[in-house]
Amino acid sequence: MMAQEGIHAGFPSPATDYMTQAIDLNKELVRHPAATFYGRVVGDSMIDAGVDEGDILVIDRSLDPRDGDMAVCFINGEFTLKYLKFRPHLELLPANDRYPAIVVREGDDFKIWGVVTYVIKKVR
Amino acid sequence: MIALVDCNNFFVSCERVFRPDLEGKAVVVLSNNDGCVVSRSNESKAMGIRMGTPFFQIRHLVDNGSLKAYSSNYALYGDLSDRVMSILADTVPRIEVYSIDEAYLHLEGIPDEKIPVMCRELVVKIRKWVGIPVSVGLAPTKTLAKISSHFAKRHKGYRGVCMMDTEEKMLKALKLTPIDEVWGIGRKLAPKMKDWGIATAYDFVQRPEEWVSSRLGVNGLRTWKELQGIECIEEENEQRRKTICTSRSFADMIEDEQELSLRVSDFAAVCAQKLRKEGSAAGLVTVFLYTNRFRDDLVQYFPSLSLKLGVAANSTHDIVGTALKALKLIYRSGYKYKKAGVIVSDIVPSDSVQGSLFDFDEELRQKMDRLSAVMDEVNSSGTSVLRLASQRSGHYADGIRSEFRSPLYTTSLDEIIEVH
């Protein structure tokens, strides 16, 4: 018959001994795990800020958006990555001359979804 | 004072986090296999769609664009639930996770006057950080806290937090609460209550103690006391086992995946049987493998992997299926395995399991229960003779229908949101 044992504190793994203080990017890049989400960049509207298609965004929803932050916004049915400009009125600024600034108007279905804290780029 | 934090229309709210355009629109989430409605937005409730409505009855509304339907995406709901629970756990001394979308907060040591402000801050924080709207019910007992959370949810004026802190408020709430909405009364007892002329929670507490205990026994009396602010429902999981493990060293080392699948299926089936025996269900299934560490001449590998179940389960089908998925992910050929095992954890009472099929897909649930019961009966003779097909063949048929599943926004890097 099978051996059955009640285990109360997990089972010993031989790997535990080696898991010490190595750099943990999860800890460094994700300050608020409960509020952190990821997004994939599509298009080139932020190319002059060094953000290219395919890059991964680390988005921290716990942060209060400030003027000049790069943020993921939801406007009229789509997520968009732009710089926030609050004064004199709310605008979303691209980092590419070929795109116009988006002025947020009353009646737009608009939401600042989360502030971007890191951009992860695959270089090889 | 105890608080019940309840996520509003949880599955629908999870979908809306990544589809903000669906705020204010009619949305439903369907059970496993797209069988019936298990979560509704307020707008779809207002359209008259009921919990458990079979999908085919509302399909025309989806086709004509007035309703958006999603298949269950338990990986997403489980992840967002963890986030909500972690925020709660960081804020108060002790939380008791009651289901995927509900938790009790034990507030010992927090002065009463600070509690409502703290709870209101929690509502705002969870909405901002995770995107999920929650309601908080505060009261002296769990049963009352549940009622209180209903009020917090239904009446905008409470701004998400309702506190039942005076005798007067308590009585008023009891008068407004139909007896079948009281936690612990349930669908079975409700018709009897009607026969006895008990329509509301208030009618119920008017009955004398002897009357209640002679007709409803210990459990009924407990509910009766709880409704009057006398705490009697203990933390439920404590006396239950925290994990169940079934493992075994093999006489001969096993290299073949099929052969290992068979063994792991058996271990998982035993775990499932034990869960059912003690009336509980598990939310996490772990599979581990050991090579023979005393054989220096062989390559060594000690993998283990835990997979979360969307909804805590105890059916042989669910536990075995999940264990086999985990095995598939950790198995590597070229090793000789000496030992394998299955651990089930995150154990909760099975009657507290909420969500998909247990509550609403009644037919499927009964089918599962019957299948498991038959297997228990036959297998109790001592030799395990009755098995799922997967236990024999090592294959798990994953033929679940989910036509309208949203992306795995938080659990698969290939499916994260696209940002333009």
Side-chain angles (χ1 to χ4, degrees), chain B residues 404-417:
Chain B
F404 317 102
R405 183 178 63 73
S406 53
L408 302 171
Y409 296 111
T410 62
T411 55
S412 166
L413 202 51
D414 293 329
E415 300 186 30
I416 57 180
I417 56 167

PDB file of all heavy atoms in Angstrom, chain B residues 404-417:
ATOM      1  N   PHE B 404     -15.322  32.148 -25.047  1.00  0.00           N
ATOM      2  CA  PHE B 404     -15.187  33.599 -24.886  1.00  0.00           C
ATOM      3  C   PHE B 404     -14.201  33.966 -23.782  1.00  0.00           C
ATOM      4  O   PHE B 404     -14.402  34.926 -23.060  1.00  0.00           O
ATOM      5  CB  PHE B 404     -16.543  34.235 -24.562  1.00  0.00           C
ATOM      6  CG  PHE B 404     -17.682  33.689 -25.383  1.00  0.00           C
ATOM      7  CD1 PHE B 404     -18.570  32.766 -24.832  1.00  0.00           C
ATOM      8  CD2 PHE B 404     -17.850  34.095 -26.698  1.00  0.00           C
ATOM      9  CE1 PHE B 404     -19.623  32.264 -25.590  1.00  0.00           C
ATOM     10  CE2 PHE B 404     -18.906  33.591 -27.456  1.00  0.00           C
ATOM     11  CZ  PHE B 404     -19.791  32.667 -26.908  1.00  0.00           C
ATOM     12  N   ARG B 405     -13.146  33.184 -23.623  1.00  0.00           N
ATOM     13  CA  ARG B 405     -12.213  33.475 -22.543  1.00  0.00           C
ATOM     14  C   ARG B 405     -11.373  34.708 -22.880  1.00  0.00           C
ATOM     15  O   ARG B 405     -10.911  34.871 -23.999  1.00  0.00           O
ATOM     16  CB  ARG B 405     -11.281  32.289 -22.279  1.00  0.00           C
ATOM     17  CG  ARG B 405     -10.350  32.540 -21.098  1.00  0.00           C
ATOM     18  CD  ARG B 405      -9.442  31.370 -20.782  1.00  0.00           C
ATOM     19  NE  ARG B 405      -8.509  31.017 -21.823  1.00  0.00           N
ATOM     20  CZ  ARG B 405      -7.422  31.728 -22.155  1.00  0.00           C
ATOM     21  NH1 ARG B 405      -7.168  32.869 -21.524  1.00  0.00           N
ATOM     22  NH2 ARG B 405      -6.616  31.310 -23.098  1.00  0.00           N
ATOM     23  N   SER B 406     -11.193  35.574 -21.886  1.00  0.00           N
ATOM     24  CA  SER B 406     -10.330  36.733 -22.062  1.00  0.00           C
ATOM     25  C   SER B 406      -8.877  36.275 -21.939  1.00  0.00           C
ATOM     26  O   SER B 406      -8.609  35.172 -21.477  1.00  0.00           O
ATOM     27  CB  SER B 406     -10.665  37.768 -20.993  1.00  0.00           C
ATOM     28  OG  SER B 406     -10.625  37.177 -19.712  1.00  0.00           O
ATOM     29  N   PRO B 407      -7.930  37.120 -22.342  1.00  0.00           N
ATOM     30  CA  PRO B 407      -6.519  36.732 -22.244  1.00  0.00           C
ATOM     31  C   PRO B 407      -6.078  36.500 -20.793  1.00  0.00           C
ATOM     32  O   PRO B 407      -6.715  36.988 -19.862  1.00  0.00           O
ATOM     33  CB  PRO B 407      -5.781  37.954 -22.830  1.00  0.00           C
ATOM     34  CG  PRO B 407      -6.769  38.629 -23.703  1.00  0.00           C
ATOM     35  CD  PRO B 407      -8.103  38.410 -23.042  1.00  0.00           C
ATOM     36  N   LEU B 408      -4.978  35.773 -20.633  1.00  0.00           N
ATOM     37  CA  LEU B 408      -4.406  35.550 -19.305  1.00  0.00           C
ATOM     38  C   LEU B 408      -3.512  36.755 -18.989  1.00  0.00           C
ATOM     39  O   LEU B 408      -2.289  36.660 -18.969  1.00  0.00           O
ATOM     40  CB  LEU B 408      -3.596  34.252 -19.291  1.00  0.00           C
ATOM     41  CG  LEU B 408      -4.366  32.994 -19.669  1.00  0.00           C
ATOM     42  CD1 LEU B 408      -3.422  31.804 -19.836  1.00  0.00           C
ATOM     43  CD2 LEU B 408      -5.422  32.677 -18.616  1.00  0.00           C
ATOM     44  N   TYR B 409      -4.174  37.901 -18.753  1.00  0.00           N
ATOM     45  CA  TYR B 409      -3.470  39.178 -18.640  1.00  0.00           C
ATOM     46  C   TYR B 409      -2.362  39.189 -17.595  1.00  0.00           C
ATOM     47  O   TYR B 409      -1.414  39.934 -17.708  1.00  0.00           O
ATOM     48  CB  TYR B 409      -4.458  40.272 -18.237  1.00  0.00           C
ATOM     49  CG  TYR B 409      -5.543  40.558 -19.223  1.00  0.00           C
ATOM     50  CD1 TYR B 409      -6.861  40.223 -18.933  1.00  0.00           C
ATOM     51  CD2 TYR B 409      -5.267  41.213 -20.419  1.00  0.00           C
ATOM     52  CE1 TYR B 409      -7.890  40.529 -19.818  1.00  0.00           C
ATOM     53  CE2 TYR B 409      -6.282  41.526 -21.308  1.00  0.00           C
ATOM     54  CZ  TYR B 409      -7.593  41.181 -21.010  1.00  0.00           C
ATOM     55  OH  TYR B 409      -8.592  41.490 -21.873  1.00  0.00           O
ATOM     56  N   THR B 410      -2.514  38.390 -16.536  1.00  0.00           N
ATOM     57  CA  THR B 410      -1.559  38.488 -15.420  1.00  0.00           C
ATOM     58  C   THR B 410      -0.760  37.215 -15.210  1.00  0.00           C
ATOM     59  O   THR B 410       0.098  37.173 -14.342  1.00  0.00           O
ATOM     60  CB  THR B 410      -2.292  38.817 -14.100  1.00  0.00           C
ATOM     61  OG1 THR B 410      -3.205  37.738 -13.817  1.00  0.00           O
ATOM     62  CG2 THR B 410      -3.059  40.111 -14.191  1.00  0.00           C
ATOM     63  N   THR B 411      -1.046  36.173 -15.955  1.00  0.00           N
ATOM     64  CA  THR B 411      -0.347  34.917 -15.697  1.00  0.00           C
ATOM     65  C   THR B 411       0.391  34.388 -16.926  1.00  0.00           C
ATOM     66  O   THR B 411       1.033  33.347 -16.841  1.00  0.00           O
ATOM     67  CB  THR B 411      -1.323  33.833 -15.193  1.00  0.00           C
ATOM     68  OG1 THR B 411      -2.382  33.698 -16.135  1.00  0.00           O
ATOM     69  CG2 THR B 411      -1.890  34.185 -13.836  1.00  0.00           C
ATOM     70  N   SER B 412       0.295  35.065 -18.062  1.00  0.00           N
ATOM     71  CA  SER B 412       1.039  34.628 -19.238  1.00  0.00           C
ATOM     72  C   SER B 412       1.617  35.854 -19.942  1.00  0.00           C
ATOM     73  O   SER B 412       0.881  36.746 -20.359  1.00  0.00           O
ATOM     74  CB  SER B 412       0.115  33.863 -20.190  1.00  0.00           C
ATOM     75  OG  SER B 412       0.748  33.728 -21.443  1.00  0.00           O
ATOM     76  N   LEU B 413       2.941  35.884 -20.068  1.00  0.00           N
ATOM     77  CA  LEU B 413       3.586  37.064 -20.662  1.00  0.00           C
ATOM     78  C   LEU B 413       3.178  37.260 -22.119  1.00  0.00           C
ATOM     79  O   LEU B 413       3.281  38.350 -22.666  1.00  0.00           O
ATOM     80  CB  LEU B 413       5.112  36.920 -20.530  1.00  0.00           C
ATOM     81  CG  LEU B 413       5.945  38.206 -20.593  1.00  0.00           C
ATOM     82  CD1 LEU B 413       5.441  39.275 -19.648  1.00  0.00           C
ATOM     83  CD2 LEU B 413       7.405  37.897 -20.352  1.00  0.00           C
ATOM     84  N   ASP B 414       2.711  36.209 -22.752  1.00  0.00           N
ATOM     85  CA  ASP B 414       2.270  36.334 -24.137  1.00  0.00           C
ATOM     86  C   ASP B 414       0.894  36.979 -24.262  1.00  0.00           C
ATOM     87  O   ASP B 414       0.447  37.276 -25.357  1.00  0.00           O
ATOM     88  CB  ASP B 414       2.199  34.947 -24.807  1.00  0.00           C
ATOM     89  CG  ASP B 414       3.581  34.343 -24.955  1.00  0.00           C
ATOM     90  OD1 ASP B 414       4.539  35.125 -25.117  1.00  0.00           O
ATOM     91  OD2 ASP B 414       3.699  33.105 -24.887  1.00  0.00           O
ATOM     92  N   GLU B 415       0.208  37.131 -23.120  1.00  0.00           N
ATOM     93  CA  GLU B 415      -1.167  37.622 -23.211  1.00  0.00           C
ATOM     94  C   GLU B 415      -1.413  38.921 -22.448  1.00  0.00           C
ATOM     95  O   GLU B 415      -2.541  39.279 -22.157  1.00  0.00           O
ATOM     96  CB  GLU B 415      -2.140  36.516 -22.730  1.00  0.00           C
ATOM     97  CG  GLU B 415      -2.033  35.248 -23.575  1.00  0.00           C
ATOM     98  CD  GLU B 415      -3.076  34.202 -23.233  1.00  0.00           C
ATOM     99  OE1 GLU B 415      -4.189  34.552 -22.811  1.00  0.00           O
ATOM    100  OE2 GLU B 415      -2.760  32.992 -23.391  1.00  0.00           O
ATOM    101  N   ILE B 416      -0.323  39.621 -22.088  1.00  0.00           N
ATOM    102  CA  ILE B 416      -0.494  40.885 -21.356  1.00  0.00           C
ATOM    103  C   ILE B 416      -1.145  41.939 -22.256  1.00  0.00           C
ATOM    104  O   ILE B 416      -1.181  41.771 -23.478  1.00  0.00           O
ATOM    105  CB  ILE B 416       0.868  41.399 -20.820  1.00  0.00           C
ATOM    106  CG1 ILE B 416       1.879  41.586 -21.955  1.00  0.00           C
ATOM    107  CG2 ILE B 416       1.416  40.420 -19.782  1.00  0.00           C
ATOM    108  CD1 ILE B 416       3.246  42.085 -21.488  1.00  0.00           C
ATOM    109  N   ILE B 417      -1.635  43.009 -21.638  1.00  0.00           N
ATOM    110  CA  ILE B 417      -2.341  44.024 -22.430  1.00  0.00           C
ATOM    111  C   ILE B 417      -1.419  44.645 -23.486  1.00  0.00           C
ATOM    112  O   ILE B 417      -0.216  44.764 -23.264  1.00  0.00           O
ATOM    113  CB  ILE B 417      -2.928  45.170 -21.556  1.00  0.00           C
ATOM    114  CG1 ILE B 417      -1.835  45.832 -20.702  1.00  0.00           C
ATOM    115  CG2 ILE B 417      -4.076  44.694 -20.702  1.00  0.00           C
ATOM    116  CD1 ILE B 417      -2.276  47.141 -20.067  1.00  0.00           C
TER     117      ILE B 417
END
